Amino acid sequence: GLNFLKICKMNQLLSDLWVEMQGYYDNFVALLPRLILALLVFSFIYFLARRLRKTVVRILIHRMDDPLLANFLARFIQSVIVVVAFLVFLSIVGLGKAAGSLLAGAGVGAFIIGFAFKDIGENLLAGMMLAFKRPFKVGDLVETGGVKGNVVTMSLRDTHVKTAEGIDVFIPNGQIIKNPLKNY
């Protein structure tokens, strides 16, 4: 009698497991068309973002003469488009509420990271502003913040200036934006 009870319980467990697996299978089959559509839409938007990045790099390199910044801006634009594509993917699949939660969490995370890396972010944004505004170019004699010298290079974070004495000075771009700049 005891073995018969064990066998009955095992059969019931297997039957319940089969019913549960059948439910998962039915849900997957119902979701499959939306999942395929979402993957196709995401792939298409991702492909467009890559093409747009290449086009933006070509345009910006001609306008800015700074391939580093042109690539950075193009990758930033591509990243924004890919994030939007991922949110569209989640929406098509039926996880729109999850997409909203992800956006809220990303916003809070970006605020915390932005506050922690305030100076780095300030210099990056100042570098982008300088790249677009172009108050000087490589080789110009400039003076800012008590430093006078010829501009050697400009990156997203800082500007390399060589003084008349041959000293290399790396000025954070945020300081160049904040202080008066003389371009001789």
Side-chain angles (χ1 to χ4, degrees), residues 130 133-137 139-151 159 161 171 175-184:
L130 288 172
K133 192 172 181 185
R134 284 293 180 199
F136 55 82
K137 59 182 184 255
D140 284 356
L141 179 63
V142 297
E143 182 178 357
T144 183
V147 177
K148 184 176 182 179
N150 290 330
V151 176
T159 299
V161 174
I171 307 167
Q175 288 188 6
I176 294 173
I177 293 290
K178 289 179 184 176
N179 294 315
L181 174 72
K182 295 179 186 175
N183 187 344
Y184 297 101

Side-chain angles (χ1 to χ4, degrees), residues 6 8 20 25 29 34 46 64 80 91 98 105-106 108 114-115 128 130 155-156 160 167 171 176 178:
K6 286 182 182 179
C8 285
E20 193 67 28
Y25 175 77
V29 169
R34 286 188 289 167
Y46 183 79
M64 296 191 308
V80 168
S91 180
V108 170
F115 189 72
M128 285 189 269
L130 288 172
S155 69
L156 284 175
H160 178 193
I167 299 171
I171 307 167
I176 294 173
K178 289 179 184 176

